[in-house]
Structures are given as C-alpha cells and as structure tokens.
Amino acid sequence: MEMQRMREKTDKMEENKAKRKLRVCVATCNRADYSKLAPIMFGIKANPDEFELEVVVLGSHLIDDYGNTFRMIEQDDFDIGSKLHTIVRGEDEAAMVESVGLALVKLPDVLHRLRPDILVIHGDRFDALALATAAALMNIRILHLEGGEVSGTIDDSIRHAISKLAHYHACCTRTAEQHLIAMCEDHTRILLAGCPSYDKLLAAHHRDDYMDIIRNWLGDNVKEHDYIVALQHPVTTDIKNSVKIYELMLDALISFNKKTLVLFPNIDAGSKEMVRVMRKKGVEQHPNFRAVKHVPFEQFIQLVCHAGAMIGNSSCGVREAGAFGTPVINLGSRQTGRETGENVLHVRDADTQNKIYHALELQFGKRYPCSKIYGDGNAVPRILKFLQTIDLDEPLQKTFCFPPVKEWDISQDIDHILETQSALAVDLGGTNLRVAIVSMRGKMVKKYTQANPKTYETRMELILKMCTEAVIDAVHLNCRILGVGVSTGGRVNPQEGVILHSTKLIQEWSSIDIRTPISDALHLPVWVDNDGNCAALAEKKFGHGKGVENFVTIITGTGIGGGIIQHNELIHGSTFCAAELGHIMVSLDGPECMCGSRGCIEAYASGMALQKEAKRLHDEELLEVDGMVDLKKAESVSAIHLINAARLGNRKAEAVLRTAGMALGVGIVNILHMVNPSLVILSGVLAAHYQAPVQQVIGQRALTSAQNIQVLTSDLEEPALLGAASMVLDYTTRRIY
C-alpha cells in the first residue's frame, strides 16, 4: 500500500509538472533584435498549451527619432506587458551609461510583477546588459541568443558579459558554440540553433510583390539589382574615426550615382554626429537618396535580397545578406572577427573616398552563392524544444566548466605573501646623496649616504650604483620595490622626469633627464619632483597633513622652499615654479638673494642668510657672549651659533633673528592671503625656532579670517626621502605624472 501511494504521488507531481506552462518573458530593445526575437515570439504564441508569453519593450523602440518601432510589435498582434522608457538622450558615451542605469532602476518592478520562469535576451546591446544584470540579481533564468560570436568593438565585451550572466545559450554557428565552451560555459546548456531571423527570411524572401516594395521605398524608376542599401553604425570605442568613415562612405555613394536607401544609424554614442554629417551633405534632399529611420523587417529582407550591393558595418551585411548572395562592402572594424561568406568584401582601413568607391565598383551588381553559415531556417523549433527541456527544479546557481589546473600553479610562497611593499627614495642634496628603502608605512628599512659628486657623470654613476645596491638588498630584506622616487633641489618637470634648473648648491644639474637612466637601469617606474614638493607630499602621507585638504609646507634649512597642497593635489604651476616660497619678496631693497633678486624670504631667513649674519657679527666681534664656546675661525661660524648667542642674551643676534622671523612671517601671511590653507607646517632644522615668531606675525598682520590658521612644526625626520617614497607609494598624493 505504501509503495502504491508513493507511486500515485509521483505520478501526480509529474502530471502537475506537465500541465504547468513555462512563463517566458521576451525583452526587446530595438528594431534589430526584434527581427531575431519575433520568430521565437510567434513560435511561443503558437504553443499556448506549453508556454505563456510576456513581452517587455524598452530602449530605442520607444523613441520617435528612431521610428517608434514598438508599433510594429503591436502590429504583429503581440500584447506588450511593459513599456520602459530607458534611453537618456545625448548619443554619447555618458548617455549610454546613464541609460543602463535608468534601465536598472526600472526593471526590478517589472520583473517582480511578471515573475517569468525564463527571460530571453538577444545579442550585445547595452540595454541587453541591463536586462541580464537585473535578471541575474533577481534569480531569474536567462536564455541568451547569439552568444559566443566575435565582432570587434565594445559589443564583444557586452556580449561576453551577458553570456557569463546567462544560464542557457542558443548560438548560431559551430564556432560560436566552441567559443562559449572555451569561456567555461556548460556544454549541456548550449544549443546550436542557428539564427532565428533565418527562419523568416529563407521562407519569405521569394515574394511576388518584391518590386512593389522596392519602388515604394526608392521610386518607380528603380530596377532590381540596380540600387544600394547603406547602413552604418557608430563604433563606440572609436567614434571620431567611425564618423569619418561614414562621411567618406556618403561621399563615395554620391559619386557612385546610384539609387541608395540610407537607414539612420542606431542610438549608440556617435550617432548624433553621423546624422549631422548626413544632413550637412544634403542626403535627405538628394534625388538619388532616400533616408529612413526604419523599414519593417519583412520589407527590409526584400530590399537587401534584390539590392545591387549593401554597404556599411551592420551585422545584417555579414549575416542575413549572405543568405541571398547579395554583395556586401563591410567598412571599418565593427564586424571584425565575424564569420562571413564570400559575398563580403572588407574595407577595414576605410581611410579614403577612392578606396570605398573602388570597392563599390568591384561589388556592385554581382551575385554570389547563397550562404547558410548562420542558419538553415529551423532555429525556432530547436529553441522551443530546448525551452521545454529546462528543469525549473534544478539549482539556479550556474556552474562553470573550468579546465583542470595543475596543483603547482595554485601554490604560493610564504615569503611572497609576507613581502613588504616598498619604495626606493633618492634625495639629492647640496652636500650629500642619500638613498633609502621606505616601507608603505614610512619606515626607513635601510638608508645609504654618500657625498654628492661635483660632476654630472660621477653623480649619475653613483646614483645608479647606490640604487642597484639597494634593490639587491631589498630582496634579502623581503621588500618588494614598487618604483623609485627622486627628490632634488631646483625646478623640476615631474611629467617628463627632467630637472630644468638646479640650485647653485648642485653643479652640472640643469636640463637633466634623470628618469630615463634610472628606469632603464632598474626596470622600475620613476617619479621626480623638487625637495619642497616632496616635503609637502611627505606631510600629506605620513605627517600633520594626513587627511588635510589644503595646507602649505615650508622647508627652513640651507635655503627656503616648500610645497602647496590644494584640494588634495600638489600644485606645480604652468612652468613648474609654483610654491617657490623662498623667493617671495618681502622687501623692495632687502639683502641680495642667490636667485639674483633682492628682499626674498630666503635672503633673510634661510640657514645661509643666518650664517652670513653670524659671520658678520663674528668679524665685528659682536657675536660671542658669556657661556658660548670660543670661536677661533670665522669659517666655523654657522646659524646655530647665531641662535645660541640670541638665547644667551646677545641683542645683535636677537635682532637678526627677529628680522628673519618677521620676513618669514610676512611671506607666510602673503601665502595665506593667496591660497588660504587651513594649516601651515614648518619643516627643516630651523622650524622649531621660527614657529612662535611666524604665529605671532600671522596674528598681527593677517586678515581676521586667516589669523587663526595653525602653524605646526613637522615631526618627520626625513621629509625629502619620505616625500620621494610617497610619490611611489600613494597615487592620491601626486598629480598626473
């Protein structure tokens, strides 16, 4: 009894399953994909006991400029369940992206309401990508038509993306089937069906009234095989060139002087420019031309079948036209990779009118053997049978058939996993040449120092030697060097890696391409900037400037320099001399500066300026005070002695430092009034001494809105090296290099 009840239950389940209709939603986006989907829709509608059809219309179907082609769906007596206006006008790349986004916003409600068992999507349009994305995320099974094919534009990427989202595939050729299998798709879910449009065109192209159709579109005087059908679409990855080819095609057609039916391009980015070219040439008013937005597919078949030639880059030329033996001239790269019959003449590099004209001369009026590469007229019965075999109880999650991977290919080395990402930093100072391995967190893993040579040849030789040594050491230190950053004095073109003008402290160092020799020797990317900018970058990544959108760093050392960060970007200026802060003039008749001018901040507040004043006081025997170490030789006097003398009460030294602090403070006030940073960072050996005087001058002389800007001293010990490293380690802290 128990076995009998179980058998009855099983039979009942199978009976219910057999009675259940498969709810199929067909989504069509434009006139081209409807020509492929319509035969399937008719087949589904003709089997009401097996299927329940839902139709969703979106994309260019609903746009007047493209013929409002949804009406032909209604004329075919299909009930449209949903019309989604998803196209954002503009016919450029941004409009395509926005259209995908708009479709993704609208589709969930429709798919949730319809609840299809399977969604049928065709081809490689951006609208279809939105459909596939929405359905996959909503756990709706997808049947993708014409996957696995190769053309030559962004359509390839979209087509393959849809194939990866789809659960089932109905492809047109054996090659496409092999491509899908190579893409790791399950071969049991791939149907080699042929193109559905072939079912219609092979059955209907022998019509008795074909001349009536031709005359209706091209006039009473046109003859069979004595007119041209032109259909050219933009190539979204090369819009400028595709528009140029379109212009050359129209020029060639005008010169060829045959009746021509010109169809408007599709809605892809660039179509607006192509229509503009067509209207500029007066095609719509030309007696030999008829420009139309849409031709019903059944009539279009007749026009292509009996044409003297078809020209452009439409897939119809390399697919459907082959079934009639119509000669085709395929222009440009849009169909590169498509399987074609011998009726297609490719003009890949369509760069002259004469080349296109010559192709027309070669092809026009010829007839070729009919080709059935893309179908034999029986695609729809195969697809319907394939739909009936889909088991809705099997797991929805699709699986991929990856090729076997050798075990040793997937192993990893623990040393590689634990490797420290690092930069090689180089600092070219007036006295020393320094190289350091710097980790991602700013740790100096190892540092190398040598005296900076006086000549270019010996300096470059030493740089390469020290860098090579550091790279070798990095391997043993388990550091992975990502690139080289170079900090140097003077004016630098960071985009080219060229030192334009050096400071007087570094000889033979102007008009030097430092990037190329280092990159060639180490096979690493190289970034170059001056030491002031590098100090700002160091603060941005490792110091007080971290997280601050606008700030200024000022180096107070042998000279005065700095860098300006504005809106998180380093400012270089049009000739790369922005942030030459040491050469801001604070007096019209001040002391002479090394730049040749007078009254610069550097002439008052730099280490060299203070040393000069210290020597003057020493020569006048006004420097030493009680408590100071005896100074025997003037050559040994430095800025430090001046500072110590001031601390011990030397009024002359105090006056010099007061003037220096005032000059630096006034210069910084000028900076505050120009770029209005939220923070000033003083760096270098004199920073701590200048902090209080500068803050005081700001409080006294700056505008009220700038008086509360904080002045901090840097905590970084090696700003030049850290800044050089930051160019490598942190992309967000540098401009376009």
Side-chain angles (χ1 to χ4, degrees), residues 433 452-463 508:
L433 171 58
N452 195 346
K454 301 299 182 184
T455 65
Y456 165 75
E457 289 80 6
T458 53
R459 185 177 299 121
M460 282 305 308
E461 184 180 346
L462 181 59
I463 290 172
E508 297 185 20

Side-chain angles (χ1 to χ4, degrees), residues 253-275:
L253 287 169
I254 291 169
S255 299
F256 201 67
N257 198 30
K258 290 291 181 181
K259 286 286 187 180
T260 303
L261 180 70
V262 179
L263 278 84
F264 276 58
N266 65 21
I267 201 167
D268 282 352
S271 61
K272 185 165 57 177
E273 289 84 351
M274 293 174 76
V275 172

Side-chain angles (χ1 to χ4, degrees), residues 692-712:
V694 166
Q695 192 78 68
Q696 185 178 7
V697 174
I698 291 174
Q700 294 171 347
R701 302 206 173 200
L703 293 173
T704 304
S705 57
Q707 287 180 359
N708 294 324
I709 291 175
Q710 195 174 13
V711 179
L712 300 177

Side-chain angles (χ1 to χ4, degrees), residues 10 15 67 79 122 145 149 208 276 317 353 397 419 460 511 526 573 585 626 638 654 709:
T10 302
E15 183 180 355
D79 294 326
H122 167 269
L145 304 182
E149 296 184 16
D208 295 334
R276 192 178 293 124
Q353 176 186 335
Q397 176 61 52
E419 198 173 42
M460 282 305 308
S511 301
V526 177
M585 292 181 63
D626 292 341
S638 68
E654 287 177 352
I709 291 175

Side-chain angles (χ1 to χ4, degrees), residues 172-183:
C172 297
T173 69
R174 181 71 63 184
T175 301
E177 180 187 35
Q178 294 303 312
H179 287 165
L180 287 169
I181 292 172
M183 290 164 63

